[in-house]
């Protein structure tokens, strides 16, 4: 009943303000009217970021309201979880948290920690970026590509990967049939356009990108290019992540060469890998490698995920136990790590499975 009275009050204020041509008051009242109608009564509505009545009112719009009314309405609106200083509560952009999580939760990936943090931080702090941020993650399965994508989402969005500003595409799941690629193109364009209209900052994750059908990514190439807008929509505040196994063998070869030469793993630099990753990716087969993203040089960073060593697997096992609230000891962690498969066989240097299966593996070592 209270919501109905508030709805009638806001409608009346909106109508009265419109009659007297108080545009700011009208827009503010209409915004809250629309919010209640769409989110409380679940009426049919479509957000439009160019429509002032669909945008969160700024402080300048409140000048015509009585102060008591402003305070009451502000408290009620914030109680619905829609109030924050950033202007959009779905977006948190917690760079401090991102840095902390990359340093404490991600193991054996000093290049990823550095490149990803600088790329995300630079993009967020530059609202006038001339294109979306596009990152390509490369490495063996289990080295942390999906894990880092989730860390990014958790720190720049309130609801993490479940946010309505985040969309995950898994190539073989969402686009399984080559004969339907034209249909997929339209669906992909529509999905991305719809999200960009709904969220001022979006994150798109393409997992198993090496399995994308030829021509599919080219359909959204304009969205990642240096355009002010495409058909009236600005895509410059979007982040695109492509995750693939392409280049995994090259990354492992470089890491192995460093080990054989007695150099520290942490001495591997982007200059040792990025140009090789770019070349190998462009020479690979598949819709991602052969797309215009490559030929158009629209990938901002090729991010290498190094193969994980025994010591890193132990750290992953430690984290898996901690996530379940279980205590463990070095002997148990050694048992878990030793149960993994390593390559080369004669040296047992790199984990062939990374940390991906650790949460399941520890089940065998529970009392």
């Amino acid at each position: 009943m209270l919501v109905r009275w508030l709805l009638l009050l806001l409608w009346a204020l909106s109508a009265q303000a419109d009659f007297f041509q108080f545009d700011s008051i009208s827009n503010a009242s209409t915004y809250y009217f629309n919010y209640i109608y769409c989110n409380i009564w679940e009426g049919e509505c479509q957000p439009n970021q160019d429509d002032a009545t669909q945008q969160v009112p700024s402080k300048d719009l409140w000048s015509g309201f009585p102060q008591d009314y402003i305070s009451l309405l502000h408290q009620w609106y914030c109680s619905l979880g829609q109030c924050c200083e950033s202007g959009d509560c779905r977006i948190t952009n917690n760079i401090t948290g991102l840095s902390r999580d990359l340093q404490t939760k991600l193991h054996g990936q000093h290049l990823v920690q550095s490149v990803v943090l600088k790329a995300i931080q630079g993009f967020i702090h530059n609202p006038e970026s001339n294109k979306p941020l596009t990152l390509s993650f490369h490495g063996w399965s289990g080295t942390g590509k999906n894990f880092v994508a989730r860390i990014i989402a958790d720190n720049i969005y309130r609801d993490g990967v479940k946010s309505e500003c985040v969309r995950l595409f898994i190539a073989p799941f969402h686009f399984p049939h080559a004969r339907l690629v034209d249909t997929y193109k339209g669906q992909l364009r529509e999905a991305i356009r719809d999200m960009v209209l709904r969220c001022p900052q979006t994150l798109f994750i393409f997992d198993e990108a090496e399995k994308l059908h030829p021509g599919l990514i080219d359909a959204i190439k304009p969205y990642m290019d240096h355009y002010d807008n495409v058909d009236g929509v600005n895509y410059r505040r979007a982040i695109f992540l492509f995750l693939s196994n392409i280049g995994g063998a090259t990354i492992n070869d470089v890491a192995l060469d460093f080990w054989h030469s007695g150099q520290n793993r942490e001495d591997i630099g982007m200059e040792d890998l990025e140009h090789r990753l770019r070349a190998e990716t462009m020479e690979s087969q598949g819709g991602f490698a052969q797309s215009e993203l490559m030929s158009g040089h629209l990938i901002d960073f090729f991010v290498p995920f190094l193969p994980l060593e025994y010591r890193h697997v132990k750290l992953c096992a430690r984290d898996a136990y901690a996530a379940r609230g279980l205590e463990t000891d070095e002997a148990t962690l050694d048992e878990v790590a030793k149960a993994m498969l390593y390559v080369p066989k004669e040296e047992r240097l790199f984990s062939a499975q990374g940390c991906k299966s650790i949460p399941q593996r520890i089940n065998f070592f529970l009392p």
Side-chain angles (χ1 to χ4, degrees):
M1 180 62 69
L2 176 61
V3 170
R4 291 178 180 272
W5 279 109
L6 284 169
L7 191 62
L8 290 172
L9 173 62
L10 290 171
W11 176 84
L13 284 169
S14 177
Q16 184 179 15
D18 188 57
F19 177 79
F20 289 106
Q21 297 183 347
F22 296 155
D23 291 339
S24 62
I25 300 178
S26 177
N27 285 343
S29 298
T30 304
Y31 175 85
Y32 291 111
F33 178 93
N34 288 338
Y35 178 80
I36 299 172
Y37 178 69
C38 298
N39 295 277
I40 306 300
W41 282 1
E42 299 182 352
E44 295 182 2
C45 58
Q46 294 294 328
N48 182 351
Q49 68 177 20
D50 295 325
D51 184 352
T53 66
Q54 297 286 342
Q55 299 176 7
V56 179
S58 65
K59 294 181 179 178
D60 293 338
L61 298 178
W62 299 107
S63 58
F65 282 90
Q67 188 62 43
D68 291 343
Y69 171 78
I70 295 174
S71 299
L72 178 63
L73 186 58
H74 182 75
Q75 292 174 9
W76 170 77
Y77 183 64
C78 291
S79 71
L80 297 177
Q82 295 295 317
C83 181
C84 58
E85 294 182 2
S86 67
D88 192 319
C89 297
R90 298 169 297 182
I91 301 170
T92 56
N93 287 341
N94 183 3
I95 296 300
T96 301
L98 176 62
S99 176
R100 181 185 60 248
D101 286 351
L102 288 173
Q103 291 296 325
T104 60
K105 297 180 180 180
L106 181 66
H107 306 302
Q109 303 295 354
H110 67 284
L111 294 176
V112 178
Q113 291 166 340
S114 174
V115 174
V116 168
L117 179 62
K118 290 179 180 178
I120 298 294
Q121 184 177 31
F123 179 75
I124 288 174
H125 290 170
N126 179 22
E128 302 302 322
S129 173
N130 62 0
K131 69 179 289 295
L133 176 64
T134 305
L135 305 178
S136 187
F137 292 176
H138 298 262
W140 267 357
S141 177
T143 51
K145 300 186 296 293
N146 276 285
F147 186 57
V148 171
R150 188 163 66 248
I151 286 177
I152 293 172
D154 286 344
N155 282 286
I156 65 176
Y157 298 102
R158 179 191 60 196
D159 300 322
V161 292
K162 295 181 180 180
S163 172
E164 58 188 25
C165 299
V166 178
R167 183 69 184 271
L168 168 66
F169 298 100
I170 305 172
F173 177 76
H174 289 97
F175 316 110
H177 306 295
R179 59 186 172 82
L180 297 178
V181 67
D182 287 337
T183 300
Y184 296 150
K185 287 180 181 180
Q187 292 173 344
L188 186 57
R189 280 192 294 257
E190 182 178 355
I192 291 178
R193 183 179 188 276
D194 181 64
M195 270 194 59
V196 169
L197 287 175
R198 290 176 178 271
C199 299
Q201 178 184 290
T202 49
L203 173 64
F204 301 100
I205 305 168
F206 291 83
D207 195 13
E208 300 188 54
E210 73 276 6
K211 299 178 182 177
L212 290 166
H213 298 298
L216 179 58
I217 290 299
D218 291 341
I220 59 170
K221 180 256 184 184
Y223 301 167
M224 287 174 267
D225 212 330
H226 300 73
Y227 295 120
D228 291 338
N229 67 78
V230 179
D231 293 331
V233 180
N234 183 355
Y235 295 89
R236 290 183 170 185
R237 300 314 300 166
I239 300 172
F240 292 87
L241 303 181
F242 293 92
L243 286 53
S244 78
N245 295 331
I246 297 173
T250 295
I251 297 170
N252 296 346
D253 288 344
V254 170
L256 190 59
D257 288 342
F258 268 70
W259 186 80
H260 280 149
S261 64
Q263 299 180 75
N264 292 327
R265 173 193 183 92
E266 288 71 23
D267 291 333
I268 299 174
M270 286 295 288
E271 66 277 6
D272 299 307
L273 281 167
E274 189 173 25
H275 67 286
R276 296 179 63 171
L277 276 181
R278 185 186 299 271
E280 182 169 341
T281 302
M282 295 185 69
E283 293 172 2
S284 300
Q285 299 300 312
F288 175 59
Q290 299 300 317
S291 70
E292 293 181 9
L293 295 186
M294 298 299 167
S295 59
H297 303 288
L298 295 178
I299 304 293
D300 296 301
F301 296 98
F302 290 81
V303 186
F305 283 69
L306 301 175
L308 300 181
E309 299 175 4
Y310 182 90
R311 56 192 169 113
H312 304 128
V313 174
K314 284 183 63 176
L315 291 172
C316 291
R318 181 203 64 187
D319 292 348
Y321 275 103
R324 298 192 187 186
L326 301 174
E327 293 185 1
T328 187
D329 53 33
E330 285 296 315
T332 302
L333 296 179
D334 276 320
E335 287 186 46
V336 175
K338 289 176 181 177
M340 305 295 285
L341 176 66
Y342 294 86
V343 295
K345 289 184 179 180
E346 61 277 8
E347 293 161 325
R348 291 177 55 84
L349 181 59
F350 301 136
S351 170
Q353 300 147 297
C355 286
K356 199 169 189 178
S357 62
I358 290 292
Q360 291 73 39
R361 288 272 180 170
I362 66 173
N363 291 329
F364 294 99
F365 299 92
L366 296 177

